[in-house]
Amino acid sequence: MKLSILDLSIVPKNGDRHQALMKSLELAQQADALGFSRFWVAEHHAAGTGAGRTPEVMIPFIAAQTKNIKVGSGAVLLNHYSPFKVAETFNSLEELFPKRIDMGIGRATGGQIVDMALQRHRSVYRQNINDSADQLIELLHWMNQDFDAENPFSEIKSHHNGTTPEFWLLGSSPWSSNAAAELGLRYAFAGFINPSMSYGIAQHYHQNFKPIAHESGSRKPQLMLALNVFTAGTEEEAHRMTAPFQLFEHRLRTKADTQSLLEDEDTAIKLLGDRYKKPEELIDPKQPPKVLASTPEKLYDWLTQIAEVYGTDEIMLQTITGNHEARLKSQKLLAEVFLKKGK
C-alpha cells in the first residue's frame, strides 16, 4: 500500500511562518527519501495556525528540492478562481517538473469576508458557489482542449508539453463523490473531516464510476483516503501527540480562538482538562475514528484494514502538530513499518 502526506505548513509555537514553510520542505524531503508517493500542500486562507495558503507557490519550491515524490495541491479551491488561469498555472508546473505534479481540485468557503476578499467583483456580497460543477467541467475542457467548436473558448489554447498533471478531485461530501464518479476522475476523500459518512461516500464513488478516456480522467476508479494519523514509539506518546490537535478542534467548534498557534502537548492537556480524550481504537474499519493514534505496528494493521474495505491502495496522512521533530519521527516510523511488513 502507498502512503502520502498532506501538509498544512503548521506554524511552530514560538516560531514564525517562514519557519513553517521551511519545515514543510524538510518534511517533504524526508518523505521523498523514505519512498512516500505524494506530498500535497494546502490552501487555507487567513489562517494563523497554518502558513499553507498558496499551493502554486509551494509546489515548485518543494518539487525543485526533491527528486522522486509527486508534489501537488490539497487543494486548489476552484470556486474562487478562473479555470483557465488554474489550467495554465498547473500546465506550467508540469512543464517544469514533468510527471511529478498532481492537480488536486476542491471547493471551500473561508467565510463571507474571506470569500469576498478573493473575488474580483465586489458588487455581490457573496459569490455564487453553486456553479462548482460548471467550474469543474470548464477546467477539464481547458486541460483536455476539447471545447465544442461553437464555444468561443475553443479558439484559445491552454498549451502544454505533451503531458498534463495528474488530476484529482478532492472532497468530503456526497457532491464530490458523485462528481468524481460521473466525470471519471480520481477521487481523494477527506476522511478526517467526515469520518462517519466516509464509507458510504466512497462506495458511491466505486459503484457509480464512469470510465473516461481523456487525459485528466481514469479508466477505473482510483480512490485515495486521507486520515488524521499520529504515531510514536509508544502508544502513550502517540496519544499525547493528539492533544494540541484536540484543543485546536475544540477552539474551532466553540469559535473561542481560531488564530492561535498550536500549543505544546503539556499545555494542551492542561487547557483541555476533562475534555482531553484518549483516541479511540479502530473497531470497524468502515467507521474509522476522527483520529488514529497508536504504535507503528498497530497503525499498520489499522490502515491496511481500512484500505481493504474502502477499496484503495493509497492512504494520505495528515498529522497536525506544532512539534516538528515528533512529526518527522511519526512519518519515519510509519514508513519503516510499512517497508518492513510489505516485504
Side-chain angles (χ1 to χ4, degrees), residues 263-282:
E263 303 289 351
D264 62 76
E265 292 161 8
D266 290 337
T267 302
I269 291 171
K270 182 178 178 180
L271 291 173
L272 282 166
D274 293 341
R275 290 186 296 268
Y276 170 65
K277 302 296 182 185
K278 176 182 173 181
E280 298 174 30
E281 297 273 312
L282 180 72

PDB file of all heavy atoms in Angstrom, residues 263-282:
ATOM      1  N   GLU A 263      -0.705  24.688  20.685  1.00  0.00           N
ATOM      2  CA  GLU A 263       0.021  24.613  21.943  1.00  0.00           C
ATOM      3  C   GLU A 263       0.930  23.388  21.959  1.00  0.00           C
ATOM      4  O   GLU A 263       0.766  22.465  21.158  1.00  0.00           O
ATOM      5  CB  GLU A 263      -0.972  24.523  23.116  1.00  0.00           C
ATOM      6  CG  GLU A 263      -1.976  25.664  23.195  1.00  0.00           C
ATOM      7  CD  GLU A 263      -1.342  26.985  23.609  1.00  0.00           C
ATOM      8  OE1 GLU A 263      -0.157  26.985  24.008  1.00  0.00           O
ATOM      9  OE2 GLU A 263      -2.033  28.016  23.521  1.00  0.00           O
ATOM     10  N   ASP A 264       1.888  23.375  22.896  1.00  0.00           N
ATOM     11  CA  ASP A 264       2.658  22.158  23.107  1.00  0.00           C
ATOM     12  C   ASP A 264       1.767  21.134  23.813  1.00  0.00           C
ATOM     13  O   ASP A 264       0.679  21.455  24.286  1.00  0.00           O
ATOM     14  CB  ASP A 264       3.918  22.435  23.915  1.00  0.00           C
ATOM     15  CG  ASP A 264       3.611  22.962  25.301  1.00  0.00           C
ATOM     16  OD1 ASP A 264       3.204  22.165  26.167  1.00  0.00           O
ATOM     17  OD2 ASP A 264       3.757  24.182  25.530  1.00  0.00           O
ATOM     18  N   GLU A 265       2.217  19.902  23.875  1.00  0.00           N
ATOM     19  CA  GLU A 265       1.374  18.814  24.369  1.00  0.00           C
ATOM     20  C   GLU A 265       0.958  19.005  25.825  1.00  0.00           C
ATOM     21  O   GLU A 265      -0.216  18.835  26.179  1.00  0.00           O
ATOM     22  CB  GLU A 265       2.102  17.480  24.169  1.00  0.00           C
ATOM     23  CG  GLU A 265       2.249  17.123  22.695  1.00  0.00           C
ATOM     24  CD  GLU A 265       3.313  16.088  22.424  1.00  0.00           C
ATOM     25  OE1 GLU A 265       3.847  15.520  23.398  1.00  0.00           O
ATOM     26  OE2 GLU A 265       3.607  15.833  21.235  1.00  0.00           O
ATOM     27  N   ASP A 266       1.908  19.372  26.693  1.00  0.00           N
ATOM     28  CA  ASP A 266       1.591  19.548  28.118  1.00  0.00           C
ATOM     29  C   ASP A 266       0.578  20.666  28.318  1.00  0.00           C
ATOM     30  O   ASP A 266      -0.380  20.524  29.086  1.00  0.00           O
ATOM     31  CB  ASP A 266       2.861  19.841  28.919  1.00  0.00           C
ATOM     32  CG  ASP A 266       3.781  18.638  29.029  1.00  0.00           C
ATOM     33  OD1 ASP A 266       3.283  17.504  28.889  1.00  0.00           O
ATOM     34  OD2 ASP A 266       4.991  18.832  29.251  1.00  0.00           O
ATOM     35  N   THR A 267       0.786  21.779  27.633  1.00  0.00           N
ATOM     36  CA  THR A 267      -0.144  22.910  27.768  1.00  0.00           C
ATOM     37  C   THR A 267      -1.523  22.545  27.244  1.00  0.00           C
ATOM     38  O   THR A 267      -2.543  22.888  27.854  1.00  0.00           O
ATOM     39  CB  THR A 267       0.400  24.138  27.016  1.00  0.00           C
ATOM     40  OG1 THR A 267       1.691  24.470  27.526  1.00  0.00           O
ATOM     41  CG2 THR A 267      -0.535  25.330  27.179  1.00  0.00           C
ATOM     42  N   ALA A 268      -1.566  21.851  26.113  1.00  0.00           N
ATOM     43  CA  ALA A 268      -2.851  21.463  25.527  1.00  0.00           C
ATOM     44  C   ALA A 268      -3.626  20.545  26.472  1.00  0.00           C
ATOM     45  O   ALA A 268      -4.838  20.724  26.673  1.00  0.00           O
ATOM     46  CB  ALA A 268      -2.641  20.778  24.189  1.00  0.00           C
ATOM     47  N   ILE A 269      -2.947  19.577  27.068  1.00  0.00           N
ATOM     48  CA  ILE A 269      -3.621  18.666  28.009  1.00  0.00           C
ATOM     49  C   ILE A 269      -4.156  19.434  29.203  1.00  0.00           C
ATOM     50  O   ILE A 269      -5.284  19.201  29.663  1.00  0.00           O
ATOM     51  CB  ILE A 269      -2.650  17.550  28.441  1.00  0.00           C
ATOM     52  CG1 ILE A 269      -2.374  16.615  27.265  1.00  0.00           C
ATOM     53  CG2 ILE A 269      -3.219  16.757  29.625  1.00  0.00           C
ATOM     54  CD1 ILE A 269      -1.279  15.605  27.511  1.00  0.00           C
ATOM     55  N   LYS A 270      -3.362  20.392  29.698  1.00  0.00           N
ATOM     56  CA  LYS A 270      -3.800  21.194  30.838  1.00  0.00           C
ATOM     57  C   LYS A 270      -5.020  22.051  30.488  1.00  0.00           C
ATOM     58  O   LYS A 270      -5.991  22.119  31.253  1.00  0.00           O
ATOM     59  CB  LYS A 270      -2.655  22.084  31.303  1.00  0.00           C
ATOM     60  CG  LYS A 270      -2.977  22.939  32.514  1.00  0.00           C
ATOM     61  CD  LYS A 270      -1.766  23.765  32.938  1.00  0.00           C
ATOM     62  CE  LYS A 270      -2.113  24.656  34.128  1.00  0.00           C
ATOM     63  NZ  LYS A 270      -0.936  25.480  34.553  1.00  0.00           N
ATOM     64  N   LEU A 271      -4.996  22.695  29.326  1.00  0.00           N
ATOM     65  CA  LEU A 271      -6.108  23.552  28.924  1.00  0.00           C
ATOM     66  C   LEU A 271      -7.371  22.752  28.598  1.00  0.00           C
ATOM     67  O   LEU A 271      -8.486  23.218  28.833  1.00  0.00           O
ATOM     68  CB  LEU A 271      -5.699  24.393  27.714  1.00  0.00           C
ATOM     69  CG  LEU A 271      -4.652  25.471  27.973  1.00  0.00           C
ATOM     70  CD1 LEU A 271      -4.207  26.117  26.674  1.00  0.00           C
ATOM     71  CD2 LEU A 271      -5.199  26.541  28.925  1.00  0.00           C
ATOM     72  N   LEU A 272      -7.193  21.559  28.082  1.00  0.00           N
ATOM     73  CA  LEU A 272      -8.353  20.716  27.769  1.00  0.00           C
ATOM     74  C   LEU A 272      -9.013  20.182  29.037  1.00  0.00           C
ATOM     75  O   LEU A 272     -10.239  20.050  29.091  1.00  0.00           O
ATOM     76  CB  LEU A 272      -7.929  19.548  26.872  1.00  0.00           C
ATOM     77  CG  LEU A 272      -7.711  19.865  25.400  1.00  0.00           C
ATOM     78  CD1 LEU A 272      -6.974  18.726  24.723  1.00  0.00           C
ATOM     79  CD2 LEU A 272      -9.031  20.143  24.687  1.00  0.00           C
ATOM     80  N   GLY A 273      -8.231  19.869  30.036  1.00  0.00           N
ATOM     81  CA  GLY A 273      -8.795  19.317  31.265  1.00  0.00           C
ATOM     82  C   GLY A 273      -9.551  18.026  30.991  1.00  0.00           C
ATOM     83  O   GLY A 273      -9.031  17.113  30.341  1.00  0.00           O
ATOM     84  N   ASP A 274     -10.787  17.984  31.444  1.00  0.00           N
ATOM     85  CA  ASP A 274     -11.613  16.790  31.237  1.00  0.00           C
ATOM     86  C   ASP A 274     -11.959  16.559  29.774  1.00  0.00           C
ATOM     87  O   ASP A 274     -12.434  15.479  29.411  1.00  0.00           O
ATOM     88  CB  ASP A 274     -12.909  16.894  32.050  1.00  0.00           C
ATOM     89  CG  ASP A 274     -12.652  16.840  33.549  1.00  0.00           C
ATOM     90  OD1 ASP A 274     -11.570  16.367  33.943  1.00  0.00           O
ATOM     91  OD2 ASP A 274     -13.527  17.284  34.323  1.00  0.00           O
ATOM     92  N   ARG A 275     -11.742  17.550  28.938  1.00  0.00           N
ATOM     93  CA  ARG A 275     -12.068  17.407  27.509  1.00  0.00           C
ATOM     94  C   ARG A 275     -10.995  16.613  26.754  1.00  0.00           C
ATOM     95  O   ARG A 275     -11.225  16.205  25.618  1.00  0.00           O
ATOM     96  CB  ARG A 275     -12.248  18.781  26.865  1.00  0.00           C
ATOM     97  CG  ARG A 275     -13.498  19.530  27.320  1.00  0.00           C
ATOM     98  CD  ARG A 275     -13.681  20.809  26.526  1.00  0.00           C
ATOM     99  NE  ARG A 275     -12.579  21.731  26.781  1.00  0.00           N
ATOM    100  CZ  ARG A 275     -12.568  22.674  27.713  1.00  0.00           C
ATOM    101  NH1 ARG A 275     -13.639  22.818  28.505  1.00  0.00           N
ATOM    102  NH2 ARG A 275     -11.548  23.480  27.875  1.00  0.00           N
ATOM    103  N   TYR A 276      -9.821  16.445  27.369  1.00  0.00           N
ATOM    104  CA  TYR A 276      -8.790  15.639  26.714  1.00  0.00           C
ATOM    105  C   TYR A 276      -9.225  14.182  26.730  1.00  0.00           C
ATOM    106  O   TYR A 276      -9.544  13.608  27.772  1.00  0.00           O
ATOM    107  CB  TYR A 276      -7.448  15.782  27.440  1.00  0.00           C
ATOM    108  CG  TYR A 276      -6.396  14.796  26.956  1.00  0.00           C
ATOM    109  CD1 TYR A 276      -5.905  14.866  25.650  1.00  0.00           C
ATOM    110  CD2 TYR A 276      -5.926  13.787  27.779  1.00  0.00           C
ATOM    111  CE1 TYR A 276      -4.960  13.959  25.189  1.00  0.00           C
ATOM    112  CE2 TYR A 276      -4.969  12.877  27.337  1.00  0.00           C
ATOM    113  CZ  TYR A 276      -4.497  12.964  26.041  1.00  0.00           C
ATOM    114  OH  TYR A 276      -3.579  12.064  25.583  1.00  0.00           O
ATOM    115  N   LYS A 277      -9.281  13.582  25.552  1.00  0.00           N
ATOM    116  CA  LYS A 277      -9.763  12.210  25.416  1.00  0.00           C
ATOM    117  C   LYS A 277      -8.688  11.327  24.797  1.00  0.00           C
ATOM    118  O   LYS A 277      -8.013  11.731  23.840  1.00  0.00           O
ATOM    119  CB  LYS A 277     -11.013  12.157  24.521  1.00  0.00           C
ATOM    120  CG  LYS A 277     -12.174  13.018  25.014  1.00  0.00           C
ATOM    121  CD  LYS A 277     -12.713  12.552  26.350  1.00  0.00           C
ATOM    122  CE  LYS A 277     -13.900  13.402  26.784  1.00  0.00           C
ATOM    123  NZ  LYS A 277     -14.357  13.040  28.147  1.00  0.00           N
ATOM    124  N   LYS A 278      -8.568  10.140  25.334  1.00  0.00           N
ATOM    125  CA  LYS A 278      -7.705   9.151  24.720  1.00  0.00           C
ATOM    126  C   LYS A 278      -8.294   8.784  23.353  1.00  0.00           C
ATOM    127  O   LYS A 278      -9.476   8.466  23.255  1.00  0.00           O
ATOM    128  CB  LYS A 278      -7.631   7.915  25.615  1.00  0.00           C
ATOM    129  CG  LYS A 278      -6.835   6.766  25.037  1.00  0.00           C
ATOM    130  CD  LYS A 278      -6.873   5.573  25.992  1.00  0.00           C
ATOM    131  CE  LYS A 278      -6.223   4.353  25.365  1.00  0.00           C
ATOM    132  NZ  LYS A 278      -6.266   3.172  26.264  1.00  0.00           N
ATOM    133  N   PRO A 279      -7.493   8.837  22.289  1.00  0.00           N
ATOM    134  CA  PRO A 279      -8.024   8.494  20.958  1.00  0.00           C
ATOM    135  C   PRO A 279      -8.621   7.091  20.931  1.00  0.00           C
ATOM    136  O   PRO A 279      -8.148   6.182  21.611  1.00  0.00           O
ATOM    137  CB  PRO A 279      -6.783   8.585  20.061  1.00  0.00           C
ATOM    138  CG  PRO A 279      -5.889   9.542  20.769  1.00  0.00           C
ATOM    139  CD  PRO A 279      -6.093   9.287  22.231  1.00  0.00           C
ATOM    140  N   GLU A 280      -9.661   6.957  20.144  1.00  0.00           N
ATOM    141  CA  GLU A 280     -10.380   5.678  20.066  1.00  0.00           C
ATOM    142  C   GLU A 280      -9.564   4.629  19.313  1.00  0.00           C
ATOM    143  O   GLU A 280      -8.773   4.947  18.425  1.00  0.00           O
ATOM    144  CB  GLU A 280     -11.714   5.871  19.337  1.00  0.00           C
ATOM    145  CG  GLU A 280     -12.676   6.834  20.019  1.00  0.00           C
ATOM    146  CD  GLU A 280     -13.909   7.083  19.174  1.00  0.00           C
ATOM    147  OE1 GLU A 280     -14.300   6.164  18.423  1.00  0.00           O
ATOM    148  OE2 GLU A 280     -14.467   8.185  19.255  1.00  0.00           O
ATOM    149  N   GLU A 281      -9.798   3.383  19.662  1.00  0.00           N
ATOM    150  CA  GLU A 281      -9.251   2.260  18.908  1.00  0.00           C
ATOM    151  C   GLU A 281     -10.077   2.073  17.632  1.00  0.00           C
ATOM    152  O   GLU A 281     -11.234   2.491  17.553  1.00  0.00           O
ATOM    153  CB  GLU A 281      -9.343   0.980  19.738  1.00  0.00           C
ATOM    154  CG  GLU A 281      -8.527   0.999  21.015  1.00  0.00           C
ATOM    155  CD  GLU A 281      -7.104   0.541  20.798  1.00  0.00           C
ATOM    156  OE1 GLU A 281      -6.909  -0.519  20.158  1.00  0.00           O
ATOM    157  OE2 GLU A 281      -6.180   1.239  21.257  1.00  0.00           O
ATOM    158  N   LEU A 282      -9.480   1.453  16.643  1.00  0.00           N
ATOM    159  CA  LEU A 282     -10.245   1.091  15.444  1.00  0.00           C
ATOM    160  C   LEU A 282     -11.065  -0.165  15.751  1.00  0.00           C
ATOM    161  O   LEU A 282     -10.510  -1.214  16.061  1.00  0.00           O
ATOM    162  CB  LEU A 282      -9.312   0.820  14.268  1.00  0.00           C
ATOM    163  CG  LEU A 282     -10.032   0.435  12.976  1.00  0.00           C
ATOM    164  CD1 LEU A 282     -10.748   1.634  12.369  1.00  0.00           C
ATOM    165  CD2 LEU A 282      -9.050  -0.160  11.955  1.00  0.00           C
TER     166      LEU A 282
END
